[in-house]
Amino acid sequence: MTATLLYWISTILLSLLYFGSATLYLTKAAWIRQTLADLNYPAPYLVPLMIAVKILGPLAILSRISIPLSDLAYTGIFFHLLLSGSAHLGVRKPQGALPALIGLVLLTASFTTQNTARAVPSPYAMTCTR
């Protein structure tokens, strides 16, 4: 029961983090473009892609229409969070890496407890005892 509760809380909080970030990308586009440019990323190409990824990734995990697609979303989010955190640390802005660190903790909790909470298990996630 505890692992199931941990799964749903961490998954919902991770999804809210990503949906909130997508909303920020949509509502403050100029600021986001400047921030990405400051991190040496190609903002004109990256912003539309990241909006789609930040919406579709959590939806794939929450809906779980396909186990491989859900696992791919976990992987993509994992690498995005690593890249985001390291980019902020690389330009000496450690406070900017805090959401990535929180996201990594939530992602780890969600991924490792998913087989306990979901009816169809992922072959790549650990199996927790109930």
Side-chain angles (χ1 to χ4, degrees), residues 44-64:
Y45 305 107
L46 200 54
V47 171
L49 175 67
M50 288 309 299
I51 291 170
V53 167
K54 287 174 182 257
I55 294 170
L56 295 175
L59 285 178
I61 292 170
L62 287 170
S63 68
R64 208 155 187 223

Side-chain angles (χ1 to χ4, degrees), residues 6-129:
L6 178 61
Y7 169 77
W8 284 110
I9 290 171
S10 61
T11 303
I12 289 170
L13 288 175
L14 179 67
S15 297
L16 288 174
L17 178 73
Y18 265 74
F19 292 147
S21 181
T23 302
L24 187 67
Y25 271 57
L26 288 166
T27 58
K28 299 196 181 257
W31 179 72
I32 293 294
R33 288 181 200 284
Q34 183 58 48
T35 301
L36 289 173
D38 292 345
L39 295 171
N40 297 319
Y41 286 116
Y45 305 107
L46 200 54
V47 171
L49 175 67
M50 288 309 299
I51 291 170
V53 167
K54 287 174 182 257
I55 294 170
L56 295 175
L59 285 178
I61 292 170
L62 287 170
S63 68
R64 208 155 187 223
I65 3 180
S66 164
I67 304 298
L69 184 61
S70 174
D71 288 343
L72 181 64
Y74 274 117
T75 305
I77 290 172
F78 173 73
F79 283 112
H80 168 257
L81 291 170
L82 285 179
L83 185 62
S84 173
S86 63
H88 286 285
L89 292 174
V91 294
R92 309 228 190 293
K93 295 183 179 179
Q95 287 183 339
L98 188 59
L101 179 63
I102 293 168
L104 282 168
V105 169
L106 294 171
L107 180 81
T108 302
S110 175
F111 184 75
T112 57
T113 57
Q114 70 175 320
N115 283 351
T116 303
R118 296 293 194 140
V120 180
S122 166
Y124 302 108
M126 300 182 313
T127 304
C128 298
T129 57

